[in-house]
């Protein structure tokens, strides 16, 4: 595992408390992570547009949430010149072909179906973390 030069910032957009805790635990096992969790798209946009908030290195996005779902948020993010370059990984329970196709048509960077098995769930989250936050080259902070 490569040691990052700075703590990595992840915005988790997830309304399921249990899943959010599992994701946070899986990420913390891999090193220092600054994780901000919000429960819907409205709260995510408020966080992302707050001038005092740190721009995340990665957004992990659930599809099915109240107020503004992940599909709507993805569409807004990828149409916004300030936010469109932040990698977005959809992590959701749905494996429906329409959801997968819709996420990629909305310019999601990846689509991962949440495994039901706890160990596989943790491995999926750690794989996302390893690729986007350690393997892929990130742009320098502005």
């Amino acid at each position: 595992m490569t040691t990052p030069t700075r703590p990595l910032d992840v915005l988790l957009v997830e309304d399921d408390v249990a899943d959010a805790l599992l994701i946070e635990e899986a990420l913390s096992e891999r090193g220092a992570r600054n994780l901000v969790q919000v429960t819907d798209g409205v709260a995510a946009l408020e966080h992302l547009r707050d001038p005092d908030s740190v721009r995340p290195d990665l957004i992990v996005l659930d599809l099915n949430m109240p107020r503004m779902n992940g599909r709507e948020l993805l569409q807004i993010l990828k149409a916004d010149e300030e936010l469109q370059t932040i990698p977005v990984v959809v992590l959701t329970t749905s494996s429906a072909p329409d959801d997968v196709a819709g996420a990629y048509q909305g310019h999601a960077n990846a689509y991962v179906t949440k495994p039901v098995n706890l160990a596989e769930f943790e491995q999926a989250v750690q794989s996302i973390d390893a690729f986007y936050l350690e393997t892929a080259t990130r742009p320098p902070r502005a």
Side-chain angles (χ1 to χ4, degrees):
M1 172 170 63
T2 306
T3 304
T5 55
R6 63 177 170 79
L8 302 164
D9 296 291
V10 178
L11 176 61
L12 174 60
V13 188
E14 170 65 69
D15 66 322
D16 185 292
V17 176
D19 284 353
L21 286 171
L22 289 172
I23 292 165
E24 182 176 8
E25 185 177 306
L27 290 175
S28 69
E29 287 180 15
R30 296 190 42 80
R33 301 289 181 267
N34 296 325
L35 181 73
V36 173
Q37 191 241 333
V38 295
T39 57
D40 61 47
V42 173
L45 283 176
E46 288 170 357
H47 174 78
L48 289 164
R49 291 182 173 153
D50 179 347
D52 295 328
S53 293
V54 174
R55 179 184 171 96
D57 297 301
L58 176 68
I59 297 172
V60 178
L61 176 64
D62 188 23
L63 288 184
N64 302 309
M65 297 175 294
R67 292 201 306 167
M68 178 189 294
N69 67 40
R71 294 165 196 82
E72 296 164 323
L73 177 60
L74 182 62
Q75 186 176 30
I76 292 167
L77 291 174
K78 294 305 179 176
D80 185 315
E81 285 188 23
E82 296 294 317
L83 304 173
Q84 65 187 210
T85 58
I86 302 171
V88 177
V89 175
V90 173
L91 179 62
T92 189
T93 55
S94 174
S95 59
D98 286 349
D99 284 338
V100 176
Y104 283 116
Q105 288 166 353
H107 304 288
N109 297 86
Y111 191 102
V112 178
T113 303
K114 291 177 184 173
V116 244
N117 173 291
L118 184 58
E120 290 173 5
F121 186 98
E122 186 176 282
Q123 180 59 45
V125 171
Q126 290 178 348
S127 294
I128 293 166
D129 179 69
F131 179 75
Y132 280 98
L133 302 178
E134 293 175 3
T135 304
T137 301
R138 291 175 284 126
R141 283 282 159 101

